[in-house]
Amino acid sequence: MSFDSLGLSEPLLRAVNELGYSSPTPIQLQAIPAVLKGGDLLAGAQTGTGKTAGFTLPILQRLSQLAPVTGGAKRPVRALILTPTRELAAQVEESVRAYGKYLKLRSTVMFGGVGINPQIEALRRGVDIVVATPGRLLDHMQQKTIDVSKLEILVLDEADRMLDMGFIHEIKRVLARLPEKRQNLLFSATFSDEIKALADGLLDSPALIEVARRNTTAETVEQKIHPVDRDRKRELLTHLIRTNNWFQVLVFTRTKHGANRLAEQLGKDGISALAIHGNKSQSARARALTEFKNQTLQVLVATDIAARGIDIDQLPHVVNFDLPKVPEGYVHRIGRTGRAGAEGEAVSLVCVDEHQLLRDIERLIKGPIPHEVIPGFEPDPNAKPEPIQRRSQGRGQAQGRQAPRNGEARPNGEARRNGEPRRDGGRPSGEARPANGNNGGQPARDGRNNGKPAANPGALLGGRRNAERSSNRGR
Ligand code: AMP
């Protein structure tokens, strides 16, 4: 199957061709015709499936074919794409530009932490497509610097992540300000009850698409558990990287502190590693990401939220240094590897404290993950589990959930610790580009499902029932 048969116009096909895409991915095959038809869409797809082109290409086509209802001289905002993080917003907008290279549509990206004036200028000059994180978008709405009264298409990208990050109120406030009549596209990797409720209120008889059920394990990702004692994880990681000669290793830790410490220790082991998380400046994160992409940096250690939206093709190795506290997080993490059909490897270093988390993950992905004990790293059979939460807090890590103070949030949506200085809107000195300070960002809420049974990941059927039942658009 080629792109030619999907009903896309010549300028879009030319751009896709230049990018070297020979055939559409499964999500693109289904989403492109569905979006071109003009109806609402509920899509189950995660990063790495090609979902961005799945919604961007048909949006560009629709906007270029339908004349804007200007109602004035100014170019109205016609499509709005909301994403959970600034990185993802930037990447999506880059895609909009790349795919729309031969069209005359204009786009812009906006997120918090950076100066608002250039964004206001761009809006004043007129843009057709806005890619934004919810907080900064609301700022513009409140300041009346953005006019969304002519909006035709709304996309909620990675909606599950937006909810995980506590954006539900921002999303509702944004929705309340949009015109009633519009096309809505909701993309989510998982389908919790919250997502279903959101879809129920937002979507009108949506087309339903579910692809690459990575939640039931991606065929292209080889998954493995290495049981190990909690205090020997770093040693085991160094051993694995050295003996297998791994490059481009994305390592997940549960906390920012853990990410820093691990990167430092790997460095001492002679392995080049940097940490990215919400306390790092935007320029530091961009630099780490560039080096990682160029393969001058061997290991990138990231927290879940910081890693969100890292778009690197064919990332060969993902390591869960700590298991995520929410089972769906595992699916998101391993979605970083084995992308677009490439082979990948996801290994998890699991200590006795994490056995319950592992059971939750295996229940979610509906099957056991193969275990392999590495000789020399056999775990102590008499080791007693320690509660993860207490242990982390004891080390002064930001594990707790603090309610955000009004309007407060931390860059990149990660939780601000008590006593930490405010940084939203603050510009860390010496930065080429300031930290996000995504004003709409909320404290991380990655522990919210702890202890609850795993959400049914592929429960589009439930979503379908909800979605079809509803003609009540809760905007
Ligand atoms: P996404 O899931 O949108 O984050 O896309 C994942 C990666 O796949 C991006 O780097 C895209 O450039 C790439 N990609 C998207 N569509 C295709 C395609 N049809 N063929 C090859 N690569 C693609």
Side-chain angles (χ1 to χ4, degrees), residues 160-173:
D160 49 350
R161 274 289 147 168
M162 283 201 259
L163 298 194
D164 283 351
M165 290 169 68
F167 279 130
I168 186 66
H169 300 295
E170 281 82 358
I171 291 171
K172 286 189 171 159
R173 283 164 64 200

Side-chain angles (χ1 to χ4, degrees), residues 82 133-139 141-142 156 159 161-178 194 198 403-408 439-443 445 448 474-475:
L82 285 182
T133 51
R136 181 49 69 94
L137 175 68
L138 269 176
D139 288 347
M141 285 177 155
Q142 273 151 7
L156 297 187
R161 274 289 147 168
M162 283 201 259
L163 298 194
D164 283 351
M165 290 169 68
F167 279 130
I168 186 66
H169 300 295
E170 281 82 358
I171 291 171
K172 286 189 171 159
R173 283 164 64 200
V174 168
L175 293 180
R177 290 163 189 249
L178 302 181
E194 280 174 300
L198 179 66
R405 273 194 258 143
N406 233 355
E408 253 183 2
N439 321 34
Q442 297 281 319
R445 299 172 57 153
R448 67 165 44 184
R475 293 174 193 146

Side-chain angles (χ1 to χ4, degrees), residues 264-307:
E264 221 174 274
Q265 288 170 334
L266 289 173
K268 286 183 187 151
D269 290 345
I271 294 169
S272 66
L274 284 174
I276 57 165
H277 51 66
N279 284 4
K280 296 269 177 180
S281 67
Q282 170 70 8
S283 57
R285 285 200 281 168
R287 205 166 43 236
L289 218 52
T290 307
E291 287 182 21
F292 190 57
K293 282 187 185 185
N294 297 342
Q295 305 200 19
T296 47
L297 180 71
Q298 197 167 357
V299 178
L300 191 63
V301 189
T303 56
D304 286 287
I305 293 173

Side-chain angles (χ1 to χ4, degrees), residues 160 163 188 190-197 328 449 455-457:
D160 49 350
L163 298 194
S188 186
T190 54
F191 286 89
S192 61
D193 288 344
E194 280 174 300
I195 286 288
K196 285 186 215 158
E328 286 86 349
N449 286 335
N456 181 0

Side-chain angles (χ1 to χ4, degrees), residues 3 20-25 28 46-53 88 91 99 311-313 339-340:
F3 274 99
Y21 301 175
S22 51
S23 55
T25 65
Q28 292 162 1
Q46 62 184 110
T47 304
T49 54
K51 68 181 166 59
T52 314
L88 188 61
Q91 282 169 15
Y99 303 136
D311 176 24
I312 301 173
D313 288 339
R339 317 181 82 180

